[in-house]
Amino acid sequence: METDKRLLWKFAYNFGYKGMRSVQKYKQRLKKGVHFPPFLFISIINSCQLRCQGCWVDVSSPRQMLSLEELDRLVTDSKKHGNSFFGLLGGEPFMHPQMLELLARHPDCYFQIFTNGQLITDEVAAKLRKLGNATPLISIEGSEVVSDERRGGQEVFNKTVAGLKNCIKHRLIVGVTSSICQTNYDLVSEQWLKQLIDLGVHYVWFNTYRVVGPEPAPHLALRPEQVLELRRFIVNMRTRMPIGIVEPYWDDRGQALCPMSTGVSHHIGPSGSIEPCPIIQFSKENIRDSDSIYDLMTNSQFLKDFRELSAEATRGCVVLERPDLVKDIVIEHSASDTTQRQTAMAELDKLAPSSSQHNPETQIPEKHWLYRFAKKHWYFGFGAYT
């Protein structure tokens, strides 16, 4: 309740009510065999000032970014089909010179900005409060020592926390995300959640480290029992701690799922490529091919086959568990490597199969009624696994 009440209303209406409505429209489309995701995740720029371990984005390559006009067209067309929520990723999205203008052009939408937080100055936070339709989701990967090691920089933790405090000062709805791996598993703790609550953070998003990219770090990956422990921790803390806890990997019954396989979300890269998800950097379509993102996605045989193949193979992450299948479908469709490094296929060849969130022997259902209700109706399998 510390947040600006106008921002709280924008969140409740643009993200909450309209987000539920967009999923309902998605369900209606599915009955007709039409797949257009209710949520889009857009990497608006590849550039970043950090060099994180295991990053799959070409942050050191020449700058690629979607223009304001392309982003505006993409959002406008999506809105025609009921969408109102968009995730903005990078690189570092605050390096895009016109990102705030995009937010200003669409006050009827809600944006989640995945950021390292270091470019959120007092002035930027004030602008975000005035706009009122975005939540920064700030990445913190552990202590000062761990953050510097994981993020490839100096004073990373302190600079990130400074950006976080600017958000809190201006009463923004703000979250913290962590990619949980071996070096920061201590963040899976009640103490960490209490620290965030004391700071004024409203929600936390737990991801698990994905062993992908040009320089994967398999030694950082979680063991299956640690993934289960993380799931159990999330379910229990949702009933006890006054902070929102987000994770994208399980439904209300505790069954694993993949948002890409269910069709609830797909990804658009900084070159305009339309990809199954952020870590699958292959594409057959580009937003520059047509004025309609809806037409491109609903007519994409590549996306359709990818969803179906993934759902048939596992309820977890097909890239981790079956990189051979990913390679097969890329070859079958002659899909383009969307990286600037042009080594994505070679990276698949080197990728050894590993476990993900799929563990049918041990499923941990939601305990909190609100999470259980929301996941049951607006975030579940959508028939992908039948």
Side-chain angles (χ1 to χ4, degrees):
M1 300 303 293
E2 300 90 349
T3 189
D4 186 312
K5 299 304 179 286
R6 182 179 65 87
L7 273 60
L8 193 60
W9 167 250
K10 283 252 188 183
F11 169 79
Y13 185 70
N14 284 354
F15 171 74
Y17 169 71
K18 292 174 74 174
M20 290 186 292
R21 191 175 65 180
S22 72
V23 175
Q24 293 302 122
K25 288 181 178 289
Y26 176 64
K27 292 180 187 178
Q28 293 168 9
R29 289 194 293 268
L30 285 182
K31 293 178 181 178
K32 302 175 184 177
V34 177
H35 281 77
F36 181 69
F39 310 121
L40 289 177
F41 289 88
I42 311 165
S43 291
I44 62 177
I45 192 169
N46 71 310
S47 304
C48 184
Q49 74 274 48
L50 299 180
R51 299 292 181 267
C52 300
Q53 287 178 323
C55 181
W56 58 80
V57 182
D58 293 313
V59 294
S60 301
S61 299
R63 174 169 290 189
Q64 282 185 333
M65 69 178 187
L66 297 172
S67 70
L68 176 61
E69 289 68 30
E70 289 170 330
L71 290 167
D72 184 39
R73 174 167 52 82
L74 193 161
V75 172
T76 299
D77 188 56
S78 300
K79 282 161 54 174
K80 293 177 183 177
H81 304 281
N83 289 25
S84 63
F85 173 75
F86 302 87
L88 302 182
L89 303 85
E92 169 50 52
F94 279 96
M95 294 185 76
H96 194 293
Q98 295 173 300
M99 185 189 70
L100 295 181
E101 190 173 343
L102 173 68
L103 272 55
R105 288 192 181 188
H106 297 279
D108 55 341
C109 292
Y110 202 78
F111 298 87
Q112 186 175 47
I113 308 171
F114 294 71
T115 173
N116 58 50
Q118 296 189 7
L119 300 180
I120 306 179
T121 62
D122 187 78
E123 180 183 6
V124 168
K127 289 179 180 178
L128 287 171
R129 180 176 180 179
K130 184 177 180 181
L131 291 166
N133 63 339
T135 173
L137 179 59
I138 297 175
S139 177
I140 298 180
E141 300 301 334
S143 65
E144 294 181 40
V145 173
V146 171
S147 290
D148 284 356
E149 180 184 5
R150 284 288 309 279
R151 311 306 296 272
Q154 298 294 318
E155 292 291 312
V156 173
F157 180 85
N158 293 333
K159 292 175 183 176
T160 294
V161 170
L164 175 62
K165 289 182 176 178
N166 285 331
C167 293
I168 294 165
K169 172 186 173 183
H170 287 277
R171 302 174 67 193
L172 303 179
I173 297 174
V174 62
V176 164
T177 182
S178 301
S179 178
I180 302 300
C181 67
Q182 295 298 340
T183 56
N184 67 357
Y185 199 75
D186 59 326
L187 296 182
V188 184
S189 71
E190 192 169 336
Q191 180 184 3
W192 173 240
L193 294 182
K194 287 179 178 177
Q195 284 182 261
L196 295 178
I197 292 167
D198 290 343
L199 276 172
V201 174
H202 297 95
Y203 66 100
V204 58
W205 182 319
F206 287 110
N207 286 295
T208 55
Y209 172 70
R210 291 332 208 200
V211 185
V212 294
E215 296 181 9
H219 65 284
L220 294 177
L222 298 183
R223 300 185 300 275
E225 62 270 22
Q226 289 176 308
V227 176
L228 278 177
E229 185 180 346
L230 172 62
R231 169 63 180 168
R232 189 171 288 109
F233 169 79
I234 289 170
V235 167
N236 289 334
M237 290 301 103
R238 280 171 169 162
T239 66
R240 295 173 48 191
M241 304 295 283
I243 187 171
I245 304 179
V246 183
E247 47 72 22
Y249 304 128
W250 293 277
D251 65 14
D252 61 300
R253 294 174 293 177
Q255 293 181 304
L257 58 73
C258 163
M260 179 273 293
S261 299
T262 67
V264 75
S265 71
H266 287 311
H267 176 253
I268 296 161
S271 65
S273 56
I274 301 172
E275 302 161 354
C277 82
I279 67 172
I280 301 174
Q281 295 177 295
F282 296 95
S283 176
K284 284 294 289 183
E285 292 85 19
N286 190 292
I287 65 167
R288 293 161 184 162
D289 297 337
S290 168
D291 288 339
S292 173
I293 183 69
Y294 180 85
D295 289 346
L296 288 168
M297 283 194 166
T298 55
N299 293 321
S300 173
Q301 190 65 39
F302 177 63
L303 291 178
K304 178 179 184 295
D305 289 352
F306 223 114
R307 286 190 300 266
E308 293 176 355
L309 177 77
S310 176
E312 289 171 4
T314 176
R315 290 187 69 106
C317 176
V318 68
V319 184
L320 297 185
E321 295 185 22
R322 295 295 306 273
D324 59 313
L325 292 182
V326 176
K327 180 181 176 181
D328 288 347
I329 198 167
V330 167
I331 293 173
E332 178 186 342
H333 284 271
S334 300
S336 299
D337 181 340
T338 59
T339 67
Q340 288 180 271
R341 59 187 182 271
Q342 291 295 293
T343 58
M345 184 60 79
E347 292 161 20
L348 271 181
D349 279 332
K350 294 179 182 178
L351 196 59
S354 60
S355 61
S356 68
Q357 71 271 27
H358 183 46
N359 192 331
E361 289 77 26
T362 307
Q363 296 177 352
I364 305 168
E366 292 293 339
K367 293 181 179 180
H368 194 288
W369 70 269
L370 182 58
Y371 287 95
R372 189 167 61 246
F373 183 82
K375 284 198 167 193
K376 182 177 181 179
H377 292 281
W378 298 295
Y379 190 79
F380 60 103
F382 297 108
Y385 301 106
T386 56

